[in-house]
Amino acid sequence: MIKELGVMKRHTLAVLTSSVLMLMVILPAAISAQSNAVYRLQGNEEFVYGRIGLNDDGSQRFTFLVVRTPNPDKTIYRREDESYVGVRSIGRGGSMSVDRDVQDFDRYDYFIVFNGNKLGPFDRFKEVKHDNPNVADWISPGGQGLTFSAVEGQHYRLYANSRPQTSYWSYSQTPLVAEAPGKVAFVVQFDRNNWHLRENHRLIKQEYAGIWNLEYSADGSKLMYVGAPERTNERHVYINHERVGGPYTSVLPYVTGFVDNTNTPYFVGSTSSGQEVVVGTRRVNLPRNIRNIGRVYSDSGRLAFSGQDGDRRFSYLYTVSNNTLLEREGRLVGRGLIIANNRAYLNIIESNDNRTLIDQNNNVVFSMPLRELHDTLSSVRADASPTGDIYITYRRADGQGVVLKNGNPYEPAGSDFSRLIHISFNPVTGLPQIGLDISTDDSGNVRRIIHNDKAFDTVGEMDNFERYSVFPPEGPAYWIRRRIHAHRDWRWTVFRENEQVSEEFHHLFALTVSNDGTRFAALVSDDPDADIRDYYSTNRSMHTPVTLMVDGRLINGRFGAPVWSPRDGRFLALTQDGRNIIIRRL
């Protein structure tokens, strides 16, 4: 355990009061001429959620807000296990029935306003597979299309490219969806051997035994999928609804796609005589009868995959542009393909159990015998920075962690840590952003955080490192500490490295900082009874009033999540101004 941190300076903050939530009055429905107004509340609508998305250059990508109106007498339908609990199989059932224990937050009609376009009313809405509550991931890269699953009474409705596509009755019918600019394709299973495919609402395939692996190419010109017209063990690969491969006994989901987000398709098909790898219109000439090809990694015009010949395993690096195939005995593990400065690396376990990293010329960059690794944590992780530096992380047999940079000990990491929690790279400098667990007991509350080659140790629970830490391109790192006062009495605090820069709150989320790290903003709530984990667009979360905090100071009013605008040099947030929802600069 590192020695206890010294007394931290605390900033005096205003106390949360009921004045945080602004009272609404009824005004005419016409929207204000104010240039930054994105919506005008109508009737008894209430603003309960808001996000602004920005492009890398700081220009506006999207606005997403939620308003709701009371509907106390509505009938609510619900399936079991409705909350977010992680990825769930599309094959599970779950038709909805009348909810006999309706919560207050469900007695509303909810409306989404996306880029000024109003959708709804909905009872509730989630990501298509119900496993990702972050709305920023529901939006297309260009910021024009929104895809989600809405509950309307007793049925679900798929929305894609911001438009309703199809209704379905149970969770087991959750559609497969693919999108491209101006295009939407989706697959719905209506019965055991009755799968339908539609593109732009036009019925393309029907009464298929199965349709899988739906995906558009980078520019949207090609739609790829796997279909079984009659039997699931006779599958074909289709490009723009024309057969290009098959019949195969199987074409697995993780071995099909487009090379590095291009228009060149690849897939692996199994036949009675073996497996074949196809890239574009070319069959890759494998040197032996390889079976059991695993996941295919695609990056920068290369494909990496493993296969098996009897008891021997081999890894391959296929370069699409010149049709060359590198072979190495061993199997891919972890992040199997790493690209840095247009150089490729394969992370493999060799036949002698060495954990080895080789480059695109089959040269060994790093190799570690299994006996020198911890017996239960024997993985070796390899990462490459944008500048081409290779970082290797592993745990020695004695339990101590090691981080190597280009083969040499990375000094800021030290050796008194047990495991790697997080590694990413500064998009400006290429320097590492690392989280290490250095706890000496099972609490897991002591972290070493490395940002731009500067290391500091922290004490305090973080729960989810990626969610509760922020690395600005320049300046100090931020993190959120959880302190447990009693059962269900948890408090959250913002730290700038080891300086406490906010008071404690029962809930604190949507932390964002300026590029230079001098300013920070977040949403907070001091409702001890609220059961929310983050600023999500779920009914329960949106029911809890939140307050905007900027640089440790609470701002009166009703706000959505803050975002730092490099163009404005200020934070932006959706807020209510009278009856208008506007973008405010702070």
Side-chain angles (χ1 to χ4, degrees):
M1 178 78 69
I2 66 173
K3 62 183 180 180
E4 187 174 335
L5 300 175
V7 177
M8 302 176 184
K9 182 179 178 181
R10 301 174 66 89
H11 295 266
T12 303
L13 299 178
V15 177
L16 283 171
T17 66
S18 59
S19 62
V20 169
L21 301 179
M22 300 177 63
L23 295 176
M24 295 185 296
V25 294
I26 305 300
L27 294 177
I31 195 163
S32 165
Q34 197 169 355
S35 61
N36 62 347
V38 299
Y39 182 71
R40 185 170 178 82
L41 295 171
Q42 302 176 22
N44 57 351
E45 288 180 343
E46 176 188 14
F47 170 49
V48 292
Y49 185 92
R51 280 194 183 273
I52 301 170
L54 301 179
N55 295 308
D56 292 340
D57 63 0
S59 59
Q60 184 176 304
R61 179 170 160 238
F62 68 84
T63 58
F64 181 104
L65 62 106
V66 179
V67 298
R68 68 181 186 180
T69 58
N71 189 350
D73 298 323
K74 70 188 302 183
T75 300
I76 302 297
Y77 295 88
R78 190 178 301 277
R79 62 179 290 271
E80 293 183 1
D81 197 19
E82 188 60 42
S83 61
Y84 287 102
V85 294
V87 177
R88 289 178 289 189
S89 168
I90 287 178
R92 291 181 61 180
S95 296
M96 290 184 287
S97 58
V98 174
D99 188 350
R100 303 298 182 185
D101 184 24
V102 178
Q103 304 297 308
D104 289 343
F105 48 75
D106 285 327
R107 301 181 188 275
Y108 291 85
D109 290 330
Y110 288 86
F111 299 83
I112 293 174
V113 183
F114 177 64
N115 292 340
N117 181 30
K118 187 176 180 180
L119 306 173
F122 308 124
D123 295 331
R124 55 194 177 275
F125 45 87
K126 296 183 177 181
E127 190 263 350
V128 171
K129 294 182 183 178
H130 294 200
D131 58 9
N132 181 2
N134 184 1
V135 299
D137 296 332
W138 307 357
I139 298 168
S140 64
Q144 300 303 311
L146 173 68
T147 299
F148 63 96
S149 176
V151 175
E152 301 173 343
Q154 200 172 0
H155 67 271
Y156 300 87
R157 186 180 296 274
L158 169 68
Y159 278 75
N161 272 351
S162 309
R163 297 180 58 192
Q165 302 294 330
T166 188
S167 295
Y168 52 104
W169 286 95
S170 75
Y171 187 77
S172 63
Q173 285 183 294
T174 300
L176 300 176
V177 186
E179 297 173 77
K183 296 181 179 180
V184 176
F186 63 86
V187 174
V188 180
Q189 182 182 12
F190 288 98
D191 204 346
R192 182 175 180 180
N193 291 308
N194 188 5
W195 295 64
H196 287 200
L197 167 64
R198 289 182 179 269
E199 186 175 22
N200 289 352
H201 293 280
R202 186 168 64 95
L203 182 62
I204 305 295
K205 306 287 187 183
Q206 62 179 323
E207 296 183 358
Y208 266 50
I211 302 175
W212 310 271
N213 307 18
L214 197 67
E215 183 178 350
Y216 275 108
S217 62
D219 66 359
S221 64
K222 294 181 179 180
L223 176 65
M224 179 181 183
Y225 54 93
V226 177
E230 297 178 355
R231 291 175 293 277
T232 56
N233 62 350
E234 290 186 8
R235 304 184 182 192
H236 300 265
V237 178
Y238 296 82
I239 302 290
N240 289 345
H241 316 303
E242 299 293 331
R243 294 184 187 183
V244 297
Y248 300 115
T249 56
S250 67
V251 184
L252 298 180
Y254 45 82
V255 289
T256 65
F258 288 92
V259 176
D260 195 29
N261 296 318
T262 66
N263 296 322
T264 302
Y266 71 86
F267 56 88
V268 178
S270 300
T271 68
S272 58
S273 59
Q275 289 179 299
E276 63 179 24
V277 180
V278 178
V279 180
T281 58
R282 177 187 296 158
R283 186 179 186 273
V284 177
N285 185 25
L286 295 178
R288 51 178 52 83
N289 185 23
I290 291 294
R291 294 179 179 272
N292 301 326
I293 292 176
R295 177 176 177 178
V296 176
Y297 300 86
S298 172
D299 196 348
S300 303
R302 285 105 158 178
L303 299 178
F305 55 92
S306 292
Q308 188 170 353
D309 181 11
D311 294 332
R312 302 177 68 189
R313 294 177 179 270
F314 297 86
S315 292
Y316 298 95
L317 177 66
Y318 178 72
T319 303
V320 177
S321 60
N322 57 16
N323 191 27
T324 59
L325 189 71
L326 176 148
E327 179 187 73
R328 180 84 178 200
E329 188 167 1
R331 61 184 175 88
L332 293 178
V333 292
R335 297 175 63 248
L337 174 63
I338 302 169
I339 302 292
N341 273 352
N342 202 33
R343 291 185 62 81
Y345 302 85
L346 297 184
N347 196 10
I348 65 175
I349 296 180
E350 297 192 270
S351 58
N352 59 5
D353 281 334
N354 282 9
R355 273 55 178 167
T356 301
L357 185 72
I358 64 169
D359 66 14
Q360 61 193 31
N361 297 318
N362 219 344
N363 298 315
V364 174
V365 177
F366 169 87
S367 188
M368 177 63 66
L370 178 63
R371 65 179 179 276
E372 297 185 24
L373 298 172
H374 193 274
D375 56 354
T376 60
L377 296 170
S378 59
S379 64
V380 175
R381 172 164 177 151
D383 294 272
S385 74
T387 54
D389 294 314
I390 302 298
Y391 291 81
I392 303 290
T393 308
Y394 61 94
R395 192 172 180 180
R396 298 188 323 210
D398 62 7
Q400 287 191 320
V402 177
V403 178
L404 302 178
K405 177 182 178 180
N406 298 328
N408 300 311
Y410 181 55
E411 297 298 338
S415 60
D416 57 338
F417 66 91
S418 59
R419 65 186 180 96
L420 174 75
I421 303 171
H422 167 88
I423 183 169
S424 59
F425 295 95
N426 188 314
V428 175
T429 66
L431 293 173
Q433 301 158 336
I434 299 175
L436 302 170
D437 184 352
I438 59 174
S439 302
T440 57
D441 55 28
D442 294 333
S443 65
N445 291 344
V446 187
R447 303 278 193 266
R448 177 165 298 145
I449 299 177
I450 303 169
H451 177 47
N452 289 343
D453 283 345
K454 179 182 179 182
F456 62 94
D457 293 345
T458 69
V459 178
E461 290 195 23
M462 297 175 70
D463 269 12
N464 184 309
F465 190 90
E466 287 79 5
R467 184 184 301 167
Y468 296 129
S469 58
V470 180
F471 298 101
E474 308 163 19
Y478 286 72
W479 60 287
I480 301 176
R481 186 188 75 176
R482 182 180 75 170
R483 190 153 68 99
I484 301 176
H485 291 259
H487 179 65
R488 296 188 63 82
D489 183 7
W490 302 346
R491 310 290 176 85
W492 301 87
T493 315
V494 179
F495 281 80
R496 181 191 291 121
E497 295 190 351
N498 276 329
E499 176 191 12
Q500 183 176 333
V501 292
S502 81
E503 293 287 350
E504 287 187 339
F505 298 95
H506 283 93
H507 305 281
L508 195 157
F509 29 67
L511 175 66
T512 186
V513 302
S514 60
N515 287 350
D516 63 4
T518 60
R519 303 190 63 198
F520 69 98
L523 294 175
V524 301
S525 171
D526 249 0
D527 182 353
D529 297 322
D531 184 17
I532 55 177
R533 296 290 295 170
D534 212 327
Y535 190 59
Y536 294 150
S537 60
T538 57
N539 292 3
R540 181 188 300 274
S541 297
M542 293 186 293
H543 196 63
T544 300
V546 295
T547 302
L548 178 65
M549 176 177 64
V550 178
D551 300 327
R553 185 170 52 89
L554 299 182
I555 309 296
N556 285 340
R558 179 167 292 182
F559 286 88
V563 61
W564 176 256
S565 170
R567 282 192 173 187
D568 294 273
R570 303 171 76 176
F571 292 108
L572 307 181
L574 292 173
T575 186
Q576 185 173 336
D577 181 16
R579 300 294 292 171
N580 289 332
I581 308 302
I582 67 170
I583 298 175
R584 183 170 168 184
R585 291 160 175 81
L586 301 152

